[in-house]
Amino acid sequence: MAASRRPTLADVAREVGVSAKTVSRVLNEDGPVSAQTREQVLAAVAKLGFQPNLMARNMRVGGPDTTIGLVIPDLGNPFFGAVARAIEDTVRERGLTLLMGSSADDPDRERALTDKFLARRVSILIVVPSVGADHSHLTSHRTAGLPIVFLDRPGVGLPTDSIVSSNRAGAQEGVAHLIAHGHRRIGFVGDLPVKLYTRRERLAGYRAALRAAGLPHDRSLVANAHDQPGAEAATAQLLELADPPTALFAGNNIMALGIVAELARSKRKDVAVVAFDDVSLAEALEPALTVVAQDPEELGRNAAATALARLDGDSSRARTITVPTRLIVRGSGEQPAPKP
């Protein structure tokens, strides 16, 4: 990974053979500039991957901002809140400030956010990629030395550092735990979209656990939802099957809340549950919720530390860091399967 300095206003001016003031006039649409010069300046900006600095105090040539841009899918998800807090705690020691925005898992919105962060000339860019996003547009910025880290999910079209959880192994461990307690009909409630990296990896872990135990993969036991009400509805549908599951595996914390809510509403205490992701007040539930816990703080710390190392000149090859999960046994996953 190249760690050369990022292009400046002076670099654009030098490329075109005009003054920095002329480049500034073009970019700010302030003052008379010929059409030919304007075209040459804009072509040089695209070629060099230059982003104008929107922060007035950093309008001097080559002055990077002292902020980090973080793009997450959902500001309301406590998992990403914990990740962001760990990033902020880590970079604060370096005098950097965290800026954060939500993509709502929309690739266009993600692109707009990253463009805004780049326009501020952030020192670091950390992105939780949206499904369907293409990150090749960030290549020139990465090549010019901007540390870019993908978090929770790998990106597409850009070879750079990624920090992820052990999604597949963690899900396999959670489902194997249910199998060990006698369950043979295990439902999977996963989030949407179905092409989401974490969802695909956790479903693969679910299937791997079934395969290791010699159990068939019954597609009717796999349901999908986008939010808690959807997870409640998906749970109800699974329990209404002619041969319903005796245990459920939740693909994330939001799915877990939906499952727990529906089981409580229907007064079903005979269904075992293991969730991927911990949830607040999990120990207060009855029974307490068994989970495959991620470590959002460690994910955030690793993302921040990796980016800071790049900022300090680490030019080694891009790498993927996998943060382990751990099974926390609390009671809901140890509900035995009913006797035939």
Side-chain angles (χ1 to χ4, degrees), residues 8-287:
T8 67
L9 197 73
D11 293 327
V12 176
R14 192 177 302 110
E15 176 75 16
V16 181
V18 297
S19 68
K21 185 175 182 179
T22 297
V23 175
S24 179
R25 284 175 178 171
V26 171
L27 297 179
N28 294 311
E29 298 182 349
D30 179 26
V33 179
S34 70
Q36 180 181 4
T37 298
R38 175 180 173 78
E39 290 179 3
Q40 290 174 333
V41 168
L42 293 179
V45 166
K47 175 183 176 182
L48 298 176
F50 172 76
Q51 281 285 345
N53 187 353
L54 299 184
M55 300 298 287
R57 64 186 175 82
N58 286 315
M59 284 302 290
R60 67 185 185 278
V61 173
D65 199 3
T66 58
T67 55
I68 288 180
L70 171 63
V71 180
I72 62 175
D74 182 3
L75 290 171
N77 190 322
F79 172 80
F80 290 112
V83 169
R85 185 168 56 251
I87 293 173
E88 186 173 40
D89 288 345
T90 304
V91 302
R92 185 186 295 119
E93 300 173 359
R94 294 285 295 270
L96 298 171
T97 301
L98 182 66
L99 301 177
M100 183 166 54
S102 170
S103 68
D105 257 329
D106 181 306
D108 292 333
R109 186 164 167 176
E110 178 195 311
R111 174 70 180 264
L113 270 172
T114 57
D115 284 348
K116 287 181 180 179
F117 286 147
L118 292 169
R120 293 183 66 108
R121 296 179 64 81
V122 292
S123 296
I124 291 169
L125 182 63
I126 301 176
V127 180
V128 178
S130 304
V131 174
D134 182 351
H135 302 94
S136 57
H137 67 99
L138 296 172
T139 299
S140 61
H141 303 284
R142 175 57 266 177
T143 302
L146 174 67
I148 300 175
V149 176
F150 292 131
L151 178 61
D152 190 53
R153 316 161 186 173
V156 175
L158 180 70
T160 194
D161 301 308
S162 297
I163 315 297
V164 299
S165 292
S166 54
N167 294 284
R168 187 177 303 209
Q172 184 171 354
E173 182 181 18
V175 176
H177 185 72
L178 291 168
I179 293 172
H181 285 81
H183 296 280
R184 297 297 179 264
R185 298 279 293 171
I186 302 172
F188 177 93
V189 182
D191 53 344
L192 293 170
V194 294
K195 292 184 178 180
L196 185 67
Y197 167 80
T198 49
R199 193 249 186 215
R200 288 189 289 108
E201 286 293 295
R202 294 167 195 175
L203 180 61
Y206 163 84
R207 296 185 65 175
L210 297 178
R211 187 165 55 250
L215 298 176
H217 172 53
D218 185 343
R219 293 181 183 274
S220 70
L221 293 178
V222 176
N224 308 302
H226 185 66
D227 51 23
Q228 182 176 331
E232 293 176 25
T235 300
Q237 291 174 1
L238 287 173
L239 297 178
E240 290 170 1
L241 292 173
D243 188 8
T246 62
L248 295 171
F249 184 80
N252 69 10
N253 53 356
I254 305 300
M255 300 301 103
L257 293 174
I259 289 173
V260 169
E262 177 57 29
L263 292 178
R265 186 195 64 79
S266 58
K267 296 180 172 56
R268 293 291 302 273
K269 294 186 177 182
D270 59 327
V271 179
V273 179
V274 172
F276 200 106
D277 279 348
D278 209 349
V279 300
S280 60
L281 300 178
E283 294 181 343
L285 299 173
E286 182 57 45

